[in-house]
Amino acid sequence: MFLYCGIACRRKFFWCYRPLSTYVTKTRYLFELKEDDDACKKAQQTGAFYLFHGLAPLLQTSAHQYLAPRHSLLELERLLGKFGQDAQRIEDSVLIGCSEQQEAWFALDLGLDSSFSISASLHKPEMETELKGSFIELRKALFQLNARDASMLSTAQALLRWHDAHQFCSRSGQPTKKNVAGSKRVCPSNNIIYYPQMVPVVITLVSDGTRCLLARQSSFPKGMYSALAGFCDIGESVEETIRREVAEEVGLEVESLQYCASQHWPFPSGSLMIACHATVKPGQTEIQVNLRELETAAWFSHDEVATALKRKGSYTQQQNGTFPFWLPPKLAISHQLIKEWVEKQTCSSLPA
């Protein structure tokens, strides 16, 4: 379906119609589904559903990666009926996107408490057998998904988690009600509207001009280092957060900074990662690690980081008991941030 806008032509006495771009058409269609419950219910009839259980997506294995299977509304109704569940449970689903052909995509968690089910949740093992797949924690599977599925399932999990945590109004204590798309919840007693939100987090790669600073927390996989990251405090700008986080975690003062990119991150509960480069003065590079925040931090040369970016496969303990230095996978924005720094360093070292 195309939307058109009329443009008057001065030289000819007729209207010229410019078709809107596919992106604009798709965006306006999603807006309609979020605002119009009837339109969204209609979209469910021909839409596709991605299933979760306890916020873990249903996945199938194919050629050393995970795939996210889709189910039609009819297949989902049959599945719920087979397990003695009311089809009204589908009303717990949330809209997570659509194709360029306007096939709407939804996510439904079969393991969370539902007001439409007799039992609290459907049993996971029986569901996995019936669906020929496994419900796998997204954190464990994320880097074995293709980019589209990873983005879509991250959005779905964050939205499902938000709805599960906001079933009651913080003002009245009464149950809130979601719209069909799941783009908001409303308290019937006072009409307060709640919208899903993300938490802003800065992730910063600090450099002194020739080296970059990488750190690790005790929770990281062995040998993995990444850029510094921290939540924005109330009242802070992005720039203020970066300067505070760098000072708190490694005891350095930022001289200048530059925005790189942003990324939605589903952990721990839906964050907006704001990636930036920061530089410190060459003469002020002595690291003072805040052990409450980090396990360790160190400066790494261009060659060390470039070598780490090329490493592939699993990272096992070496004979001397240590683990090789490695970096976050390509899907993580920290990888993009580090790769961009390496490329800039490489270009600056080339002869003019």
Side-chain angles (χ1 to χ4, degrees):
M1 180 181 73
F2 284 92
L3 296 176
Y4 293 86
C5 59
I7 303 175
C9 297
R10 294 182 179 178
R11 295 184 180 180
K12 297 182 180 180
F13 295 98
F14 58 84
W15 284 89
C16 297
Y17 292 94
R18 174 178 64 83
L20 296 179
S21 70
T22 302
Y23 173 76
V24 173
T25 303
K26 175 181 171 180
T27 301
R28 289 190 172 180
Y29 177 64
L30 285 172
F31 176 80
E32 178 187 4
L33 299 188
K34 292 176 182 178
E35 296 298 316
D36 189 330
D37 283 352
D38 290 335
C40 195
K41 286 181 180 178
K42 183 178 180 181
Q44 289 179 343
Q45 302 296 318
T46 56
F49 290 80
Y50 294 84
L51 301 182
F52 286 70
H53 192 286
L55 298 177
L58 177 70
L59 300 173
Q60 295 173 339
T61 305
S62 176
H64 306 293
Q65 70 171 0
Y66 289 120
L67 298 177
R70 298 145 40 100
H71 297 82
S72 68
L73 179 65
L74 182 59
E75 290 171 333
L76 187 52
E77 288 174 338
R78 288 174 178 171
L79 177 72
L80 291 172
K82 185 171 184 177
F83 285 89
Q85 296 290 311
D86 196 312
Q88 275 189 297
R89 189 177 186 120
I90 296 171
E91 293 184 24
D92 289 331
S93 65
V94 294
L95 176 70
I96 57 174
C98 75
S99 68
E100 293 183 355
Q101 292 73 37
Q102 297 186 3
E103 176 193 57
W105 301 327
F106 299 87
L108 176 64
D109 197 305
L110 300 173
L112 298 177
D113 290 349
S114 171
S115 57
F116 300 110
S117 61
I118 299 173
S119 57
S121 66
L122 295 172
H123 294 294
K124 183 177 176 181
E126 290 86 343
M127 296 292 295
E128 291 177 327
T129 301
E130 178 68 23
L131 295 168
K132 297 180 174 60
S134 300
F135 292 104
I136 301 173
E137 288 183 36
L138 186 58
R139 188 183 288 273
K140 295 179 179 179
L142 188 62
F143 298 120
Q144 291 177 268
L145 292 164
N146 61 48
R148 194 198 74 165
D149 283 352
S151 176
M152 186 164 51
L153 294 179
S154 294
T155 299
Q157 189 201 64
L159 196 51
L160 289 168
R161 181 189 283 113
W162 183 86
H163 279 284
D164 186 51
H166 291 79
Q167 297 185 40
F168 295 90
C169 176
S170 61
R171 183 69 62 82
S172 69
Q174 297 299 310
T176 56
K177 180 177 175 59
K178 68 179 274 296
N179 65 337
V180 175
S183 60
K184 61 185 176 182
R185 297 189 75 92
V186 180
C187 176
S189 67
N190 54 29
N191 293 321
I192 292 178
I193 302 175
Y194 295 90
Y195 295 98
Q197 297 178 340
M198 294 189 293
V199 178
V201 177
V202 296
I203 180 163
T204 309
L205 187 65
V206 177
S207 171
D208 67 353
T210 59
R211 303 173 298 173
C212 73
L213 189 152
L214 298 170
R216 56 173 283 107
Q217 297 178 338
S218 58
S219 59
F220 284 10
K222 297 294 184 182
M224 192 190 86
Y225 282 73
S226 186
L228 301 177
F231 293 98
C232 295
D233 279 350
I234 292 291
E236 283 186 331
S237 66
V238 169
E239 294 83 355
E240 290 169 335
T241 302
I242 290 172
R243 290 191 167 91
R244 175 182 56 77
E245 283 291 334
V246 174
E248 281 182 356
E249 296 190 350
V250 293
L252 297 175
E253 188 170 345
V254 169
E255 182 178 40
S256 63
L257 55 90
Q258 181 181 17
Y259 172 78
C260 171
S262 64
Q263 177 190 45
H264 169 255
W265 192 245
F267 316 113
S269 58
S271 303
L272 176 62
M273 306 297 293
I274 305 166
C276 296
H277 293 280
T279 57
V280 296
K281 293 180 179 179
Q284 301 176 6
T285 58
E286 182 181 351
I287 299 172
Q288 297 177 359
V289 177
N290 183 343
L291 296 177
R292 291 186 177 182
E293 294 283 340
L294 303 172
E295 182 180 88
T296 186
W299 290 105
F300 291 85
S301 69
H302 170 271
D303 290 344
E304 288 176 313
V305 178
T307 300
L309 282 172
K310 295 176 183 177
R311 289 199 176 102
K312 295 180 180 180
S314 58
Y315 307 100
T316 56
Q317 190 172 10
Q318 300 178 107
Q319 290 184 348
N320 61 3
T322 63
F323 287 82
F325 160 54
W326 60 285
L327 300 167
K330 292 181 179 179
L331 195 61
I333 198 168
S334 53
H335 183 100
Q336 178 184 334
L337 193 61
I338 296 166
K339 182 180 178 182
E340 186 175 282
W341 178 81
V342 168
E343 291 172 346
K344 285 182 178 179
Q345 292 293 308
T346 302
C347 291
S348 63
S349 64
L350 294 176

